[in-house]
Structures are given as C-alpha cells and as structure tokens.
Amino acid sequence: MGKVLFISSRPLYPVISGIQIRTVQQLELLMQRYNVDVVYQSEKKEGEEWVRKQLPGVGKVICFKLPKWKSYLQTLRFLFNTLPLQVNYYYEKKIQAYIDKHLSEYDIVFCNNIRTAQYVLKTKNILKCIDFVDALSMNYEKARKCSHGIWKWMYAIEYKRCSIYEQQVLSSFNRCAIISEVDKQYLLRHAHSLLHVVGNKVDIPDEALVSRHEDWGNIVFVGKMNYEPNIIAVTYFAEHIFPKLTSCYPRLRFVIVGALPDARVQKLATYKNVIVTGYVDTVEPYYQKATIVACPMLTGAGIQNKIIQAMAYGCCVVTTSIGAEGLNIQHDELAIADEDNMARTILSLLEDKQRRKSMGKAAREYVIKNLSQQVISQQFWKFMNQ
C-alpha cells in the first residue's frame, strides 16, 4: 500500500461543518487503499487518540496548535503579499517545516482545500491531490453583492485573490476535485484543466426516522452558525420572511440549529417565535419535527450539506436558486423560491401536508440514487485514478 500525507486546515472532530463532513469522507475513502498520515491544525492542542477513536486504522496524527489571535495577526500578511486572506490566516510555518522534512516519505500528498495548498504549491516529484470542495471565488463574488461597509471591501479583495490563486492551484496539482458541476464550470471559465466532480455522500437514515411533516409547527434551519452565508440566510429569513408567515400562523416557530452561533444569530433569539439552539448532539429530532426545512441562501457556493441531509430525512425543503446549485433537480424534490416569492411558497406548503410528504419522499429517493456511499466512492476513485 502507498503512503499518503493528508493535510487539513481544521480539526476533524467533532463534525459540525460541511468542510469537516467532506474532509472525513475523503479520509475514510483514502484509508481503504492507502496508509494515511494526517497533519491538521487547531486552536487548541489535541491528542491524536481522539482522532484514532473516530478513524481506526489511521497512521500518524499530528496536531499543530494555532491560536485564533495568531491567525488574525497572520492575516495581516495580506498587506505584503498577494495570497488570499484565508490562506494567510491558516498558513503556519511550523507545519511548513514539518512537511518539508517528511514529505519524501510519502507517495501522495492530499490537501483538503486551497487553504492548505500553499504548503506544497511549488513542490514537485510527488503526486499532489487537492479537493477544492467548492469555488470559493464564486462564493465571495456573491457575498460582496449582499454585504456593506468593511465586509463588502474585504469580500471584494478575497474574490480577486481567490480567483487568481485557484487558477494557480489548478495548474500546480496533478489531481483536482470539486463538489459540483456548477462550481467546476465556474473555475474552468478561464482554464482547461482536468477537474473531477466528487459529491458528498449522505448517510441514509432508516425509514422510521424520516420527517413526520407536522402541521404548522417548525420552520427549521440547520448549519454551522458562524459561517457567513448561514448568518446572512437566517438573518434575512427572520427579518423579512418569517413575519409574513406568523401573520397567518402566529404559533409557527423558526428554529435555528447549529454550533457556534455568531452574535448576530444570537440576537435573533430575541425575536418572537425564533429559537437559536446552539450546538446539539444530533439534528435528527429537528428534522423529524420539521414542518418545513428552510435554506434561504443568498450567498455561498457548492452543494449545501444542510439541504441534502434534510432531503435524506424526507423533509420538505424550500431553498433559493443559489441553495439548489449543484443539485440536478428534475422533478418536485424540493421547492426553489427566491426573495420575491419565498413567503408565498412556504405558505402554500403549510396548507398542503400531502404535497410536503410527496416532496419529502421524492427528495429522499433523489439522495439515495445520487449521493449514496457507492455513487460517491466511484466518483472519488475516478478522480484519484484519472
């Protein structure tokens, strides 16, 4: 078996974000055919035993501590270089020194996103693989249109820098993967590189655990709540859509489920009938009790894990055209409604339980057909063995 050095910009566990879901998926697949060592960074020093319990069979696990204050300080390097802000934020010289010293021991190096690409960007004489996950430049292009003040300025800078850096990574790495056809076409609009689509697998819950489509109870949003596209989505929904719904259904609740709620999200908990849970051990009960799962994404890129996970639970999902990007929806698997008609779409679904159940059934069937372990495994090995 060959040896792989896997580099991650974040801790692997607990899995509370889409990037962690994706990272663990790629690791588990690699471990089927390779001996894999992992290097990752965290805000606090963590023992390798924690990762070993979750990933039996993994090789060396090396954690580098990078406090948040130091990451913020390192971001200021963008004033003196042309790298994206987030590459500056995550880059650590101690990790670079470790990789430089040990890279010759491996057959393959695998970077879990462009934040780790800098460690081996100019390295040769080794097979270099990277998972872009999604087109970050596309994410920032959308974000700058929805932001104001300093955030608009920062997103404009990051959009330009990510656009250039992504093309450098495409030309430097031997194997490149991305989450959807939409993201792929966006990155390749100025290039002709080989870029493979590898989706996110979804664990399919038992039929007994699917949504019960309760009447007029809970509008649910699930996601990591310090992630800017999620913050923008729930704030917009709570302030502009939800009041229109409660004017017809006063007892309706908007339940925001997810770890690390930003101060702007915590503020929403002061609104009438809005609940912010923070971290929960499992999202299963929230999907089961959801009348509708709302994903009103105004920014972002890639396939939204929050959507496909809800679909696996047979939920009735309402999202925007941005939220549905990357999903090859053919029939009535979910409702796509943008700002001008989202409230109207949700109100019509609240009145029609049979339609909600029908959409949930079609959504679950879509996930089983397109995002199962077997389907995603085939996509991954096609990417690795191109």
Side-chain angles (χ1 to χ4, degrees), residues 295-298 318-325 335-339 342:
C295 298
M297 309 309 295
L298 302 180
V318 179
T319 188
T320 60
S321 54
I322 289 176
E325 280 182 351
I336 301 175
D338 289 306
E339 297 97 308
M342 178 163 285

Side-chain angles (χ1 to χ4, degrees), residues 224-241:
K224 188 182 178 188
M225 294 317 306
N226 65 349
Y227 178 52
E228 192 67 20
N230 289 346
I231 297 169
I232 292 171
V234 297
T235 302
Y236 165 76
F237 190 85
E239 294 180 348
H240 299 284
I241 304 299

Side-chain angles (χ1 to χ4, degrees), residues 1-7 30 33-37 99 101-111 120 123-130 173-175 381 384-385:
M1 296 177 72
K3 290 190 67 177
V4 176
L5 178 63
F6 190 98
I7 311 172
L30 283 169
R33 301 187 185 182
Y34 297 102
N35 294 313
V36 183
D37 293 345
I99 291 172
K101 181 179 180 180
H102 295 281
L103 194 59
S104 61
E105 302 169 14
Y106 298 92
D107 305 295
I108 300 171
V109 60
F110 194 111
C111 295
V120 293
T123 301
K124 301 184 184 300
N125 302 321
I126 189 171
L127 184 66
K128 299 192 298 184
C129 306
I130 188 166
F173 279 70
N174 309 101
R175 307 279 191 274
W381 291 115
M384 287 297 295
N385 299 324

Side-chain angles (χ1 to χ4, degrees), residues 88-318:
N88 282 301
Y89 181 94
Y90 285 99
Y91 183 81
E92 172 56 64
K93 290 183 178 179
K94 291 181 180 178
I95 298 178
Q96 183 71 73
Y98 179 88
I99 291 172
D100 290 344
K101 181 179 180 180
H102 295 281
L103 194 59
S104 61
E105 302 169 14
Y106 298 92
D107 305 295
I108 300 171
V109 60
F110 194 111
C111 295
N112 79 323
N113 54 50
I114 68 166
R115 295 163 182 158
T116 56
Q118 190 65 20
Y119 293 120
V120 293
L121 189 67
K122 297 179 180 179
T123 301
K124 301 184 184 300
N125 302 321
I126 189 171
L127 184 66
K128 299 192 298 184
C129 306
I130 188 166
D131 182 8
F132 279 84
V133 186
D134 46 34
L136 289 176
S137 55
M138 181 168 66
N139 187 351
Y140 289 113
E141 182 180 21
K142 296 171 184 174
R144 66 179 180 164
K145 296 176 182 178
C146 301
S147 304
H148 305 280
I150 190 171
W151 287 106
K152 191 177 187 70
W153 173 74
M154 289 180 64
Y155 289 148
I157 292 175
E158 195 68 341
Y159 161 66
K160 292 178 181 178
R161 293 193 177 204
C162 281
S163 295
I164 296 170
Y165 193 71
E166 285 167 337
Q167 299 306 313
Q168 292 174 347
V169 172
L170 272 173
S171 62
S172 171
F173 279 70
N174 309 101
R175 307 279 191 274
C176 300
I178 200 160
I179 198 169
S180 79
E181 189 66 32
V182 172
D183 293 75
K184 172 183 175 179
Q185 294 306 321
Y186 186 88
L187 284 195
L188 295 185
R189 68 196 189 283
H190 300 309
H192 299 285
S193 302
L194 193 57
L195 183 57
H196 285 274
V197 173
V198 179
N200 274 11
K201 74 176 179 68
V202 182
D203 293 326
I204 311 298
D206 293 337
E207 188 73 37
L209 301 177
V210 301
S211 174
R212 298 193 289 265
H213 302 282
E214 294 183 353
D215 285 324
W216 309 343
N218 299 319
I219 306 292
V220 175
F221 180 98
V222 176
K224 188 182 178 188
M225 294 317 306
N226 65 349
Y227 178 52
E228 192 67 20
N230 289 346
I231 297 169
I232 292 171
V234 297
T235 302
Y236 165 76
F237 190 85
E239 294 180 348
H240 299 284
I241 304 299
F242 192 58
K244 298 177 183 178
L245 306 180
T246 53
S247 66
C248 299
Y249 300 104
R251 297 176 63 185
L252 193 66
R253 303 191 306 171
F254 180 35
V255 185
I256 302 170
V257 183
L260 307 174
D262 182 85
R264 289 166 287 174
V265 177
Q266 294 178 35
K267 182 181 177 182
L268 299 178
T270 64
Y271 293 20
K272 185 178 180 180
N273 289 16
V274 176
I275 298 168
V276 178
T277 69
Y279 173 79
V280 296
D281 290 330
T282 175
V283 297
E284 188 174 282
Y286 296 93
Y287 285 137
Q288 287 181 317
K289 296 178 181 178
T291 307
I292 289 173
V293 171
C295 298
M297 309 309 295
L298 302 180
T299 64
I303 292 176
Q304 303 292 326
N305 282 288
K306 63 183 74 66
I307 292 179
I308 58 178
Q309 189 177 39
M311 292 171 69
Y313 276 90
C315 295
C316 174
V317 180
V318 179

